[in-house]
Amino acid sequence: MSEERLDRLEGMMSQLITMVGNLHNSMSDMQKDMKEMQKDMKEMQKDMKEVQKDMKEVQTVQKEHGQRFESIELRMDKMETKNEFRHQEVLNQIKRLEKDQDFIWEKAVRNERELEIMKRTLES
C-alpha cells in the first residue's frame, strides 16, 4: 500500500475513533439525562400519589360536610313545618278572640240598649 493511502486510512481511522468517542460521550450524557428524567419521573409519581391521597381526603371531608348539610336541611325543614303549624294555631286563636270580642261587643250593645229602654220606661 502506498504511503498516501495509509495516511488517508489513518486519518479516516482517527476520524472514526473521534466520532465513536463523541458518540460514546453523547451516549453517556444521554444516559445521565435519562437517569435524571427517571428520577424526576419517580418524584412526579410520588407527588401524584400524594395529590391523589389529598384528593381522597378532600372527597371524604366533602361527603362529611354534605351529610352534615343534609342533616341541617332536614332539621330546618322540620323547624319550618313546626313553625308553620304554630303560626296557624296562633292565627286560629286570634280569629277565635276576634269572634269572642265581636260577640262581647254585640252583647254589651244589646245590654246598653236594654238598660236605656229600662231607664226611659222608669222615667216615664
Side-chain angles (χ1 to χ4, degrees):
M1 283 198 182
S2 74
E3 188 74 28
E4 186 178 303
R5 210 166 175 206
L6 283 174
D7 285 342
R8 258 191 324 174
L9 275 175
E10 192 178 308
M12 286 163 114
M13 288 289 275
S14 171
Q15 189 179 16
L16 185 58
I17 290 170
T18 303
M19 288 172 65
V20 169
N22 288 339
L23 184 59
H24 181 67
N25 287 338
S26 293
M27 290 296 281
S28 296
D29 291 343
M30 286 175 61
Q31 286 176 343
K32 287 178 186 175
D33 290 344
M34 286 293 286
K35 285 181 182 178
E36 285 182 34
M37 286 174 59
Q38 287 175 342
K39 181 181 172 186
D40 290 344
M41 286 293 286
K42 285 181 183 178
E43 288 179 21
M44 286 173 54
Q45 287 174 342
K46 182 181 173 186
D47 290 344
M48 284 297 290
K49 286 180 182 178
E50 288 180 21
V51 167
Q52 288 174 343
K53 181 183 173 187
D54 291 344
M55 287 296 289
K56 285 181 183 178
E57 289 176 7
V58 167
Q59 287 173 344
T60 303
V61 169
Q62 283 179 335
K63 280 184 182 178
E64 289 173 2
H65 287 293
Q67 290 170 346
R68 288 180 186 163
F69 184 71
E70 287 175 9
S71 171
I72 290 170
E73 281 184 328
L74 183 62
R75 285 179 28 206
M76 285 180 66
D77 288 344
K78 286 180 182 178
M79 287 174 62
E80 283 180 18
T81 304
K82 237 182 196 178
N83 286 340
E84 182 61 32
F85 178 74
R86 288 177 181 162
H87 178 71
Q88 287 301 322
E89 281 184 341
V90 168
L91 287 177
N92 289 336
Q93 285 179 343
I94 289 173
K95 287 178 184 176
R96 271 187 259 133
L97 288 173
E98 286 175 346
K99 287 179 183 179
D100 287 349
Q101 183 182 7
D102 288 345
F103 177 73
I104 290 169
W105 277 102
E106 286 177 24
K107 205 168 189 178
V109 167
R110 201 174 324 127
N111 287 341
E112 288 293 323
R113 280 188 198 142
E114 288 178 9
L115 283 174
E116 186 60 32
I117 290 172
M118 288 171 80
K119 280 184 189 177
R120 288 185 185 179
T121 306
L122 287 174
E123 287 178 359
S124 29

